[in-house]
């Protein structure tokens, strides 16, 4: 098969930068492929400049290969596809693990990564799993922002609750502090659709800036409230952010399809002008008049259904949700809940799901403590638990899952009994989080309406449930024995 110009450029660029293994990351701008290089001594600058189609080479923080508009995105996307990653993602590197000289935390993280990779290898990729991975890739980069902005908003909410109880308790200066904290929090949540649009574009292969614009379109900025745009299905007025995050992700996926198609048919000379203009116009109209009404109905029904289940099912629903959340985490299915949490926060001011699901992590903590006590002769296992337990208490459960309970089998099952904490929270009712991104004790400041004591009660119940079930039924006999390494 004849090699295309883009394929030849991708191959010859790799050949002159020391091969794919010498590249850590690739992004591109309007005219340049930007490569993060591991070892510059392997790069042949003169050979790179001599490649037919390379207009120039710039050595900066990244190695910039100038190709010109239009063709640059085709070559960059081809190069990352060959590496099995996406634009901006780190290229895979072979790594080895040595226990000597490493801390408990480093050891458990290495063990967790090993088991997690093995579990993933058992399941072939399919469309559903790829969709879940895409959702994860969209929201994981935003988790630090969710945590930081959420906690800042939680502190502001605490001050507001104090004011509600006693208006004289805080001076006007403190009112200004609350306002300032909320401004910082709103820097994320008010413009979240834009951030999600950008990340979705990165994930689906569209231009990030265009993805951000499509996200911003759902804000309906500039629409006259006295003459709103109509919902073409119902005749009602469209409202800003109707369809929410779910609509933005779908719209940007469509944007990626349209943009890729346009790149194929639009001549390189005018690609930089024609493609973004047509893509924004077509997908923007589609988003406003089709995606927003449909996604709005879907998200509304979704939030309503979950609220109804928790209201009718009460403690039983809370227990079932908490019970099955750990298997969801193991298979990566928990990522699909992120946009649901966000929609619930947007529509009701809080997500009652998050505190309930956080109880699965509490069960892990209880199970780990039980293993620590029952398996104290197994020094290697105890070291793993010591490394994973502190972050587990803080709400980061994967080291405990993949490093401790899942490799042992039975403790993973008994840890799910921590879902009893979900029953406690759902039974108390009206307990929700005003932001996402954290769980465990870190979630306490984010509990809405000052109902954190109810959340703590559930957390303690989750600890106890996981501990008791594991202590009496979940400890494998082999795990209680000292290993050969322990005897040396």
């Amino acid at each position: 098969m004849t090699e295309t110009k883009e394929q030849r450029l991708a191959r010859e660029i790799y050949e002159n930068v020391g091969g794919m293994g010498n590249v850590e990351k690739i992004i591109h701008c309007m005219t340049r492929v930007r490569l993060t290089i591991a070892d510059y001594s392997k790069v042949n600058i003169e050979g790179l400049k001599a490649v037919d189609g390379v207009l120039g080479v710039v050595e900066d923080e990244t190695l910039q290969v100038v190709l010109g508009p239009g063709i640059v995105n085709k070559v960059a996307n081809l190069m990352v596809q060959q590496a099995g990653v996406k634009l901006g993602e780190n290229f895979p590197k072979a790594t080895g693990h040595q226990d000597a000289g490493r801390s408990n935390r480093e050891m458990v993280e290495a063990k967790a990564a090993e088991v997690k990779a093995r579990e993933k290898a058992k399941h072939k990729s399919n469309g559903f799993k790829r969709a879940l991975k895409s959702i994860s890739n969209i929201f994981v980069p935003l988790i630090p922002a969710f945590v930081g902005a959420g906690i800042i908003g939680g502190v502001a909410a605490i001050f507001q609750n104090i004011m509600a109880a006693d208006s004289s308790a805080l001076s006007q200066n403190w009112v200004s502090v609350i306002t300032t904290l909320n401004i910082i929090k709103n820097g994320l949540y008010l413009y979240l659709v834009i951030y999600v649009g950008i990340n979705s574009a990165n994930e689906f292969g569209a231009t990030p800036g265009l993805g951000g614009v499509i996200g911003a379109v759902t804000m309906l900025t500039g629409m006259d409230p006295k003459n709103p745009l109509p919902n073409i299905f119902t005749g009602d007025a469209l409202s800003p952010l109707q369809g929410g995050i779910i609509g933005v992700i779908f719209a940007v996926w469509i944007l990626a399809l349209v943009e890729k198609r346009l790149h194929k048919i639009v001549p390189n000379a005018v690609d930089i002008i024609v493609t973004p203009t047509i893509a924004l116009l077509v997908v923007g109209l589609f988003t406003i008049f089709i995606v927003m009404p449909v996604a709005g109905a879907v998200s509304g029904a979704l939030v309503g259904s979950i609220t109804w289940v928790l209201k009718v099912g009460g403690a039983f629903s809370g227990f079932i949700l908490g019970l099955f959340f750990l298997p969801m985490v193991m298979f990566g299915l928990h990522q699909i809940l992120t946009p649901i949490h966000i929609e619930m926060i947007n529509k009701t001011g809080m997500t009652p799901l998050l505190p309930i699901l956080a109880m699965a992590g509490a069960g892990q903590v209880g199970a780990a403590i039980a293993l620590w006590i029952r398996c104290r002769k197994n020094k290697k296992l105890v070291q793993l638990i010591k490394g994973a337990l502190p972050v587990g208490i803080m709400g980061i459960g994967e080291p405990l899952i993949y490093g401790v309970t899942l490799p042992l089998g039975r403790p993973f099952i008994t840890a799910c009994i921590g879902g009893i904490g979900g029953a406690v929270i759902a039974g108390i009712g009206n307990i929700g989080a005003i932001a996402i991104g954290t769980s465990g004790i870190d979630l306490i400041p984010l509990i809405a309406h000052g109902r954190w004591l109810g959340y703590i009660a559930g957390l303690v119940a989750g600890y106890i449930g996981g501990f008791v079930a594991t202590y009496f039924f979940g400890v494998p006999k082999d795990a209680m024995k000292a290993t050969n390494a322990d005897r040396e």
Side-chain angles (χ1 to χ4, degrees):
M1 182 180 292
T2 304
E3 192 177 45
T4 65
K5 179 181 179 181
E6 291 79 11
Q7 290 171 334
R8 178 185 58 78
L9 279 168
R11 174 178 56 79
E12 292 186 8
I13 289 173
Y14 272 137
E15 288 174 354
N16 285 281
V17 298
M20 191 182 298
N22 197 35
V23 178
E24 295 180 347
K25 186 186 300 183
I26 289 178
I27 58 174
H28 72 84
C29 57
M30 288 198 303
T31 61
R32 306 176 185 186
V33 177
R34 298 170 180 256
L35 303 94
T36 302
I37 300 298
D39 184 0
Y40 267 87
S41 66
K42 298 180 181 180
V43 177
N44 181 0
I45 296 294
E46 294 305 316
L48 197 56
K49 291 179 179 178
V51 172
D52 183 21
V54 172
L55 306 179
V57 177
V58 178
E59 296 180 73
D60 202 345
E61 292 183 358
T62 58
L63 182 63
Q64 302 170 25
V65 183
V66 184
L67 299 179
I71 195 171
V72 64
N73 80 297
K74 299 174 185 177
V75 174
N77 277 287
L78 188 59
M79 292 178 72
V80 295
Q81 287 172 12
Q82 292 172 355
V85 297
K86 297 184 182 296
L87 288 170
E89 287 186 350
N90 289 328
F91 279 35
K93 301 290 181 183
T95 57
H97 299 295
Q98 299 292 332
D99 285 348
R102 294 192 301 175
S103 67
N104 292 333
R105 179 173 179 176
E106 290 171 333
M107 289 175 61
V108 75
E109 286 176 347
K111 178 68 174 179
E114 176 187 338
V115 175
K116 186 174 183 178
R118 189 164 62 244
E119 288 299 316
K120 285 185 175 181
K122 293 179 182 179
H123 307 281
K124 292 183 179 179
S125 178
N126 55 40
F128 182 65
K129 289 183 181 296
R130 288 195 298 271
L132 291 176
K133 185 177 185 297
S134 292
I135 291 174
S136 173
N137 291 341
I138 290 167
F139 288 104
V140 165
L142 290 171
I143 286 178
F146 282 131
V147 174
I151 290 177
I152 289 171
V155 172
I158 291 172
F159 285 134
Q160 287 173 328
N161 291 335
I162 294 174
M163 288 187 66
D166 183 3
S167 60
S168 64
L170 294 176
S171 67
Q172 184 60 42
N173 290 335
W174 281 106
V175 174
S176 298
V177 169
I178 293 172
T179 301
T180 303
L181 293 177
N182 280 326
I183 288 173
I184 296 173
K185 179 198 74 173
N186 291 338
L188 171 66
Y189 287 99
L190 189 60
Y191 303 104
L192 182 59
V193 287
I194 299 177
Y195 306 135
V196 170
I198 292 171
N199 286 0
S200 298
N202 279 322
E203 175 61 21
F204 300 136
T207 299
L210 298 183
V213 173
I214 293 301
V217 162
T218 66
M219 300 172 70
L220 299 180
T221 305
M223 184 180 70
D224 184 358
K226 297 179 181 179
N227 188 28
L229 295 173
N231 182 324
I232 64 174
F233 298 104
T234 65
D236 298 331
L238 285 176
S239 57
L241 302 178
Q242 188 171 331
I245 298 300
I246 295 173
V248 171
I249 294 173
F250 178 74
V252 175
W253 178 65
I254 296 296
L255 170 71
L257 297 179
V258 172
E259 191 179 1
K260 289 174 184 176
R261 179 62 179 168
L262 288 171
H263 281 312
K264 290 181 179 179
I265 62 177
V266 174
N268 289 338
V270 294
D271 181 77
I272 189 62
I273 298 172
V274 174
T275 296
T277 304
I278 295 178
L280 279 182
L281 180 61
V282 171
V283 180
L285 292 172
F286 178 73
T287 301
I288 294 170
F289 294 108
I290 303 296
V291 175
M292 289 183 69
V294 173
V298 171
S299 62
L302 196 59
V303 171
S305 299
I306 293 172
T307 302
W308 180 83
V309 167
L310 291 176
K311 183 178 180 180
V312 173
F316 177 75
S317 295
F319 175 69
I320 295 299
L321 288 169
L323 179 70
F324 286 103
F325 188 61
L326 279 182
M328 289 182 69
V329 173
M330 185 184 74
F331 291 112
L333 301 179
H334 64 299
Q335 300 293 351
I336 201 171
L337 296 173
T338 301
I340 296 175
H341 288 314
I342 295 172
E343 285 304 302
M344 298 194 79
I345 292 171
N346 288 338
K347 292 183 180 299
T348 68
M350 67 178 189
T351 168
L353 267 182
L354 184 56
I356 291 173
L357 299 179
M359 296 304 104
Q364 286 282 313
V365 170
I369 295 173
L371 288 170
W372 191 346
I373 295 173
R374 293 290 305 275
C375 305
R376 56 189 177 274
K377 293 182 180 179
N378 188 333
K379 303 301 183 183
K380 185 175 182 179
L381 177 61
V382 169
Q383 285 181 332
L384 291 174
I385 294 172
K386 286 180 179 179
L389 193 57
V391 293
I393 294 172
M394 300 298 286
I396 303 171
E398 288 198 338
L400 278 175
I401 294 174
Y402 294 107
V404 178
T405 61
L406 186 59
L408 294 176
R410 284 164 56 187
F412 178 80
I413 297 173
T414 53
C416 294
I417 303 300
I420 192 70
V424 171
I425 289 178
I428 295 172
N430 199 32
I431 297 175
I434 63 173
I436 65 173
T438 185
S439 60
I441 64 173
D442 285 2
L443 192 59
I444 294 174
L446 305 183
I447 299 300
H449 311 307
R451 296 179 64 84
W452 51 272
L453 284 176
Y455 175 73
I456 291 177
L459 206 58
V460 172
Y463 292 157
I464 294 173
F467 177 87
V468 172
T470 303
Y471 189 90
F472 291 105
F473 307 106
V475 182
K477 291 183 179 179
D478 291 344
M480 291 188 285
K481 301 176 182 178
T483 65
N484 290 332
D486 297 328
R487 297 187 182 98
E488 291 177 359

